[in-house]
Amino acid sequence: MKKILFILFLLGSQIVYGQGKADNKAQEIYKKSAVIKTVKAYMKAENYNGVLTEIENTFKKYETTKDDAEYYSYLVRANEQLALQENKKMYLETKPDTVKYFTYLYNMYRLALVCDSIEQITDLDGKQVFKYRYDNANILLRYRQNLKVATNFFYRKRDYAKAYQYVDMYCTTKKAPLFYNKKNEFVLPEENDNTAMSVLAALSAFGSENNEGVVKYLDDALEDKSTHFKILELGCKSYFALNDTANAVERLKDGFNRNPGQEYFFMSLVKYYNDSNRHEDCLELSKKMVEQFPNDRNYWFIKAKEEEILGKNQDAIKSYETAISKKNDDAESFSSIGMIYSEMAHELYKNNTLSVTNPGYKEFKTKLRGLYSKAKDAYESSKKYAPNVKTLWYDGLRNAYFRLNMGKELKELEKIK
């Protein structure tokens, strides 16, 4: 008897438990009217954070509610009221939170756009019904300039990611369908700041390593003459970062042709051409630079290096000598001249087919010694002007002393290795 009662007790427990689960399911049934009633109550009580929490929880519980434009309309209005509360604190100087204020404004714009995108979906009759567009547009228009203020606020604080967020919202909503009224008239007043705001957008994007953002606003930002080449430089860097080499190089060429004085364009093209083994192209660039800036040692050095790579040794030596004439203590150029003469001597020796008994052998030896002697002189000059940078001259000078049978000098040199 006791065993039967125990079993009945367990069955009774399971029945009660099952009913509890059923009740929970019943409680989870979505009733929009109940949610809206709660939201309205919060709005009436000026508990705007309560509105945000209630709708956010509804979105989490019921995925389909995220497609209901009405909820977004309430979110827009609640964020506006929260912004006004912060604004009042600013006016009364009672510890306002400026970042919060701007966040509410940004959320107003973001949520109003979501609301409008939902309303743009046609109904079963193929019609668009806008219940909230016009009210939302009027709200956003009141705070339009505050997006610009927020952009400058965060930019001055060097919070470039935030600055970009606001300027991007400002710029992308310039032609938003949201701002069309019932008569299909665009109600957003004309804003003649597209170039200036695009510059801010590009700078903010670059500052926050947002290369896509830089590229997005590049062309509009380039309309500003005062910052054109600086912005173009940022654009080139962003294209390279995005592995869009074709666009990067085209922009570099444009910058170089129009403003060769901005070294970035030239040096970046030099690197690109060298990495691509396009040394003839690099040499042509260098020639243009020495024509325009004949007193710049660096351009002569680069020109010489390209000539050296291309095997134009005599041209390279002349260019290195010109570089030295602009900078008398140019240890690098002296070292490069020494290397060229050493290589020329090595090639002469390697290609020699004359025997010691041949009448032309003496001339060969004289020529060979002359090349090593010129290499020695160049390396000694390099040593003179950069005594601590042994990589420029030590090995080359040691080889020259050895080839010239300068034993005493060779021993002295080896002491300082």
Side-chain angles (χ1 to χ4, degrees):
M1 183 67 179
K2 289 181 179 179
K3 186 180 288 186
I4 294 170
L5 288 173
F6 181 70
I7 293 170
L8 288 172
F9 176 75
L10 283 177
L11 289 171
S13 299
Q14 289 172 348
I15 292 167
V16 171
Y17 179 71
Q19 287 176 340
K21 286 180 73 177
D23 289 342
N24 287 339
K25 285 183 178 179
Q27 290 173 2
E28 291 177 2
I29 294 174
Y30 169 59
K31 290 184 179 180
K32 180 178 177 179
S33 59
V35 178
I36 294 297
K37 183 178 180 180
T38 303
V39 168
K40 286 181 176 178
Y42 280 135
M43 290 292 291
K44 187 175 182 180
E46 299 183 1
N47 182 356
Y48 304 113
N49 280 311
V51 174
L52 302 185
T53 301
E54 179 67 20
I55 295 177
E56 286 168 3
N57 287 338
T58 300
F59 285 166
K60 289 177 183 177
K61 287 182 181 178
Y62 314 106
E63 187 71 22
T64 56
T65 60
K66 293 180 180 179
D67 297 328
D68 193 327
E70 186 173 7
Y71 286 129
Y72 292 98
S73 73
Y74 276 111
L75 290 172
V76 171
R77 287 156 58 192
N79 273 282
E80 181 191 21
Q81 293 304 316
L82 288 168
L84 289 173
Q85 287 178 355
E86 289 301 328
N87 190 58
K88 186 176 180 180
K89 291 179 186 178
M90 293 178 193
Y91 181 75
L92 298 174
E93 297 182 356
T94 53
K95 297 182 179 179
D97 190 327
T98 307
V99 174
K100 268 189 177 181
Y101 173 71
F102 289 136
T103 301
Y104 294 138
L105 296 186
Y106 182 83
N107 285 336
M108 281 165 45
Y109 265 80
R110 179 178 59 82
L111 295 163
L113 290 172
V114 175
C115 182
D116 199 63
S117 67
I118 294 171
E119 289 198 291
Q120 288 180 49
I121 299 172
T122 56
D123 60 18
L124 294 176
D125 297 323
K127 295 180 180 179
Q128 293 176 321
V129 180
F130 296 105
K131 293 181 180 179
Y132 312 108
R133 166 178 282 190
Y134 312 113
D135 288 339
N136 285 343
N138 287 331
I139 291 172
L140 299 190
L141 285 171
R142 289 198 287 269
Y143 302 94
R144 183 70 179 164
Q145 293 304 307
N146 294 75
L147 290 179
K148 294 176 71 172
V149 175
T151 298
N152 289 313
F153 173 82
F154 288 111
Y155 190 84
R156 285 196 298 270
K157 286 184 172 293
R158 298 186 179 183
D159 188 343
Y160 299 118
K162 281 284 187 184
Y164 179 80
Q165 182 181 357
Y166 284 87
V167 71
D168 183 53
M169 178 63 78
Y170 180 81
C171 291
T172 54
T173 51
K174 280 179 175 288
K175 297 180 180 179
L178 173 67
F179 291 116
Y180 281 95
N181 65 13
K182 294 178 181 180
K183 297 179 180 179
N184 203 33
E185 298 168 334
F186 197 66
V187 296
L188 183 66
E190 185 176 357
E191 296 169 333
N192 298 314
D193 58 1
N194 189 56
T195 299
M197 296 307 288
S198 294
V199 169
L200 263 179
L203 292 173
S204 299
F206 190 81
S208 55
E209 299 181 0
N210 177 4
N211 296 300
E212 291 87 353
V214 175
V215 169
K216 177 180 178 179
Y217 287 100
L218 182 60
D219 287 328
D220 285 336
L222 289 174
E223 294 297 318
D224 181 44
K225 293 180 180 179
S226 64
T227 60
H228 179 92
F229 293 108
K230 178 60 180 175
I231 296 295
L232 184 56
E233 178 178 331
L234 302 186
C236 293
K237 291 176 179 178
S238 293
Y239 275 124
F240 275 123
L242 294 169
N243 294 317
D244 188 347
T245 306
N247 268 313
V249 172
E250 284 305 308
R251 300 287 184 163
L252 284 174
K253 288 178 181 177
D254 178 54
F256 175 76
N257 290 329
R258 295 173 60 187
N259 186 24
Q262 188 159 327
E263 195 171 85
Y264 169 79
F265 302 119
F266 170 68
M267 294 305 297
S268 297
L269 281 173
V270 166
K271 183 180 184 306
Y272 170 72
Y273 286 140
N274 274 322
D275 290 345
S276 306
N277 290 319
R278 293 171 57 179
H279 297 290
E280 287 288 356
D281 290 327
C282 199
L283 180 56
E284 288 306 309
L285 283 180
S286 303
K287 287 179 178 178
K288 289 180 181 179
M289 293 303 282
V290 297
E291 286 174 5
Q292 294 199 45
F293 307 99
N295 293 319
D296 193 305
R297 171 265 175 195
N298 293 335
Y299 298 143
W300 281 104
F301 183 86
I302 293 171
K303 177 176 178 287
K305 188 60 66 178
E306 296 305 321
E307 289 166 335
E308 181 182 348
I309 292 170
L310 290 167
K312 301 179 179 182
N313 291 330
Q314 294 304 325
D315 290 340
I317 290 171
K318 288 180 181 178
S319 294
Y320 281 128
E321 288 174 344
T322 304
I324 292 169
S325 72
K326 312 302 177 185
K327 183 176 183 290
N328 295 331
D329 59 349
D330 190 351
E332 282 185 288
S333 290
F334 277 118
S335 175
S336 295
I337 290 173
M339 186 177 295
I340 291 174
Y341 280 125
S342 293
E343 286 296 319
M344 290 171 67
H346 176 72
E347 286 297 311
L348 181 65
Y349 180 81
K350 184 177 71 172
N351 295 324
N352 174 55
T353 58
L354 301 174
S355 66
V356 292
T357 58
N358 191 296
Y361 186 78
K362 183 177 180 181
E363 182 182 348
F364 155 74
K365 289 289 290 182
T366 301
K367 188 175 182 180
L368 183 66
R369 184 175 181 82
L371 290 172
Y372 276 121
S373 181
K374 289 179 179 179
K376 173 190 74 71
D377 293 343
Y379 281 127
E380 284 180 339
S381 294
S382 182
K383 176 176 178 289
K384 175 183 176 181
Y385 295 118
N388 297 320
V389 189
K390 295 178 184 177
T391 54
L392 289 177
W393 48 264
Y394 184 87
D395 289 337
L397 188 56
R398 183 175 180 275
N399 182 59
Y401 284 156
F402 176 77
R403 298 295 179 183
L404 294 170
N405 295 317
M406 299 176 68
K408 179 180 176 182
E409 288 80 2
L410 184 59
K411 288 181 180 179
E412 290 298 317
L413 182 66
E414 288 178 339
K415 289 179 182 178
I416 64 173
K417 185 173 183 180

